[in-house]
Amino acid sequence: MAKLIVTTREGETSEVEGERGISVMEILRDNDFEVAAICGGCCSCATCHVYVDEEWMDKLPAREEDERELLEELESFKDNSRLSCQIEFTDDLDGLQVTIAPDE
Amino acid sequence: MTDTFIIVGAGQAGGQAAATLRSKGFEGRIVLIGEENYVPYERPPLSKAFLAGELPVEKTFLKKPDFYDNKNIELRLGRRVVAIDRQARTVNLDNGESIGYDKLLLATGSRVRKLTVPGAELSGIHYLRDIADVEGIRAAMKPGARLAIVGAGYIGLEVAAVARKLGHEVTVVEALDRVMARVVAPQVSAFYEKVHREAGVDLRLGTGLTAFEGDGRFEQLRLTDGSAVPGDLAVVGIGIVPNVELAQEIGLKVDNGIVVDEYGRTEDPDIFAAGDVTNHPNAILGRNIRLESVQNAMSQAMAAALAMLGHLEAYNEVPWFWSDQYDLKLQIAGLWEPDDEIVVRGDMESRKFSVVYLRDGAIAAINVINNMRDFLPAKKLIEAKSKVDPARLADPEVPLKEFLTT
């Protein structure tokens, strides 16, 4: 098990165990963080938007076209924005830090 | 004594409502009752990745099975509610158990509409609504099996796409003269008809079904034009009907769904409803609607759960839907109407474009095909109802969000 460090919209940071091979969105959802994840992870709704700690950005696979196009239209979009359903959690990501983005 | 909240229906709305009650601090007893033997799961993948065998069943679960134990949510799976007593405030299950409630949420969802033509009772005729249905279809889709699909809506077309990718022969029969006729404009139907035909689907439009034929087991469709479509299995996708019977039995107002307000409240202050089964007001659309969608199930369930806790936050969203067929990701926001003016953004041949529906000069709906950048701004524009210049809108180089500021 690897660790995922999550900061909520209220600014509280906590650490959870992340199962390998599932998405960061699923880990957030299983741990009851406030991501709506309406579409269930098929990159359709942008309700699982997170900011990834800058130092981790390079370690993540690049955004696919759908993800990029959805994200760029969000008012809360930043350079380190990702849809957490599109990040598969692996051992390499042990210690990954994400902040849940505002709901919009 | 702590309060007991009972949720009837363990689909996406029921599951989401239970999770929301806990995350919003409800400490009383929650009982979630569902007819299927699965914890709440997501239905959209059933006719897509799950049918294709690309997704294990656990990946469809809304929450991991241990979530319910961890959150002290009592599950009654494989159980059906046989009666509700509003005076005594009790719910009776099919195993004889009776549970008292303080608040009750009806999230009974919908069931498939069934055909009643001759031969409808033959084996080998499948419908698609739940995990067990898809497991049945997959078991019947042996290598080389031919599919005879009835209905060219989302379900029929998604099944056709999966089956063609797996190399099956596919015929789709549709009584109306175009595919997805309820939800998209004729131009978009025509685009999808071409896609399916190019993928090798034998698409029979404007052709009704008169009978299923076979000796005990389905062998062929008989069509209104007299022709026959042989197949090894039939899959029928002709819509769903809301499960309103329980609500009707207890005298709640039912009119194409259980009638609720924008908070998911029925006229009984202790009874709420959410999901496919409700007929609810939508201020953006300016009318009452019943929606068969995940967006509605999830968001309305959250609002209804909050209302059960006494927090009134109106559920009022632009309806949206999606459908995956082949390499095409279709996202729909808003509801199409036949008189809408159509503006196409981009080149349909490129398989990346949007079709915008204008009503009274404002964007009322959109179909986004492999063109996600238009989706979120379009939802905002639908909500804002601001007038747009159709000529400028037709230029795909002009980002949709620019219309938000004008």
Side-chain angles (χ1 to χ4, degrees):
Chain A
M1 286 288 212
K3 297 223 180 313
L4 177 69
I5 299 161
V6 184
T7 303
T8 65
R9 291 184 186 129
E10 289 73 37
E12 289 165 21
T13 299
S14 56
E15 199 176 274
V16 296
E17 296 282 342
E19 195 181 315
R20 273 180 306 165
I22 71 173
S23 70
V24 170
M25 178 278 283
E26 289 169 280
I27 298 169
L28 295 173
R29 196 175 62 175
D30 288 339
N31 285 282
D32 228 16
F33 288 103
E34 280 200 86
V35 287
I38 301 284
C39 78
C42 61
C43 201
S44 286
C45 67
T47 60
C48 67
H49 177 201
V50 296
Y51 301 119
V52 172
D53 192 83
E54 297 286 358
E55 65 177 279
W56 287 94
M57 282 301 281
D58 294 344
K59 299 187 177 73
L60 302 179
R63 301 178 186 117
E64 302 269 346
E65 186 180 3
D66 279 356
E67 183 189 352
R68 182 174 51 74
E69 290 192 359
L70 267 177
L71 281 170
E72 285 174 358
E73 299 302 326
L74 288 168
E75 282 164 32
S76 52
F77 174 73
K78 294 182 190 173
D79 288 343
N80 61 337
S81 284
R82 291 299 304 253
L83 293 181
S84 56
C85 70
Q86 300 300 303
I87 306 172
E88 186 183 331
F89 200 61
T90 61
D91 280 341
D92 294 345
L93 298 183
D94 187 8
L96 177 69
Q97 296 187 40
V98 300
T99 300
I100 298 171
D103 194 15
E104 63 177 84
Chain B
M1 228 182 96
T2 59
D3 277 357
T4 298
F5 286 7
I6 295 182
I7 301 170
V8 183
Q12 290 199 236
Q16 181 61 49
T20 299
L21 285 173
R22 277 291 181 255
S23 70
K24 295 297 178 188
F26 178 62
E27 292 177 350
R29 185 180 179 205
I30 301 175
V31 184
L32 179 57
I33 304 163
E35 283 185 11
E36 293 178 65
N37 283 308
Y38 293 99
V39 292
Y41 60 86
E42 294 168 356
R43 289 189 199 279
L46 295 189
S47 50
K48 309 175 181 79
F50 185 63
L51 177 64
E54 295 163 0
L55 198 72
V57 68
E58 311 81 58
K59 292 284 270 184
T60 67
F61 296 161
L62 202 54
K63 302 274 188 185
K64 283 203 284 194
D66 64 5
F67 172 85
Y68 303 92
D69 255 2
N70 295 342
K71 294 288 176 185
N72 200 17
I73 294 164
E74 295 176 40
L75 294 174
R76 295 286 191 281
L77 300 178
R79 292 267 80 92
R80 201 162 50 81
V81 170
V82 292
I84 296 167
D85 184 333
R86 279 171 68 183
Q87 274 66 48
R89 292 202 292 183
T90 55
V91 165
N92 293 341
L93 308 189
D94 58 352
N95 62 347
E97 185 182 7
S98 179
I99 314 169
Y101 66 82
D102 294 284
K103 304 274 183 217
L104 177 68
L105 176 68
L106 298 173
T108 47
S110 49
R111 59 181 179 273
V112 294
R113 186 187 305 279
K114 294 216 167 176
L115 283 165
T116 54
V117 297
E121 73 293 346
L122 293 173
S123 67
I125 300 170
H126 299 262
Y127 291 81
L128 197 163
R129 180 68 188 157
D130 57 33
I131 287 174
D133 293 337
V134 179
E135 285 173 340
I137 295 169
R138 283 171 58 182
M141 279 171 64
K142 296 185 172 69
R146 300 158 302 167
L147 277 79
I149 297 173
V150 180
Y154 292 135
I155 293 289
L157 296 181
E158 288 178 358
V159 172
V162 169
R164 283 303 301 147
K165 276 200 287 190
L166 295 174
H168 296 273
E169 273 183 41
V170 177
T171 304
V172 177
V173 175
E174 168 59 53
L176 298 175
D177 61 0
R178 60 191 185 89
V179 303
M180 295 190 283
R182 273 204 315 162
V183 289
V184 298
Q187 292 92 324
V188 180
S189 293
F191 171 80
Y192 272 90
E193 286 157 14
K194 185 161 175 272
V195 165
H196 278 276
R197 285 184 166 130
E198 283 174 0
V201 172
D202 179 358
L203 191 56
R204 314 275 185 97
L205 300 173
T207 313
L209 178 76
T210 57
F212 294 102
E213 296 176 348
D215 185 7
R217 181 171 179 77
F218 167 72
E219 288 167 19
Q220 60 184 17
L221 305 175
R222 180 65 63 183
L223 307 183
T224 46
D225 61 7
S227 65
V229 174
D232 297 292
L233 67 151
V235 180
V236 183
I238 54 164
I240 53 182
V241 288
N243 293 322
V244 295
E245 288 75 7
L246 277 174
Q248 262 166 342
E249 283 164 18
I250 57 175
L252 292 176
K253 191 173 175 197
V254 169
D255 174 17
N256 179 31
I258 303 171
V259 177
V260 296
D261 66 9
E262 63 270 46
Y263 309 105
R265 301 184 295 188
T266 69
E267 72 266 32
D268 183 324
D270 296 325
I271 304 181
F272 304 74
D276 284 9
V277 77
T278 70
N279 180 341
H280 59 272
N282 182 299
I284 298 166
L285 304 176
R287 62 187 169 96
N288 264 57
I289 46 170
R290 189 175 67 75
L291 288 169
E292 300 162 358
S293 77
V294 161
Q295 165 267 323
N296 177 64
M298 302 283 278
S299 299
Q300 194 179 30
M302 292 182 212
L306 284 173
M308 291 170 86
L309 296 170
H311 308 305
L312 297 184
E313 278 184 30
Y315 160 57
N316 185 33
E317 294 181 1
V318 173
W320 62 271
F321 316 84
W322 76 94
S323 177
D324 299 335
Q325 297 169 38
Y326 310 104
D327 60 329
L328 301 173
K329 187 175 175 117
L330 168 65
Q331 301 241 144
I332 295 178
L335 300 178
W336 166 73
E337 286 181 13
D339 292 337
D340 291 343
E341 182 188 342
I342 306 297
V343 175
V344 179
R345 284 170 57 80
D347 173 15
M348 292 175 95
E349 289 292 318
S350 73
R351 296 167 88 94
K352 181 178 172 72
F353 61 96
S354 304
V355 175
V356 185
Y357 299 73
L358 293 178
R359 205 174 302 154
D360 303 324
I363 297 178
I366 191 165
N367 302 158
V368 168
I369 290 100
N370 287 353
N371 198 27
M372 292 300 280
R373 64 187 159 199
D374 278 359
F375 187 62
L376 296 175
K379 273 169 62 179
K380 289 179 186 161
L381 284 162
I382 293 167
E383 195 164 354
K385 297 190 174 103
S386 39
K387 307 268 182 206
V388 294
D389 169 13
R392 200 159 155 253
L393 186 65
D395 180 355
E397 299 305 317
V398 179
L400 269 190
K401 65 181 155 198
E402 287 194 8
F403 294 91
L404 276 165
T405 50
T406 54

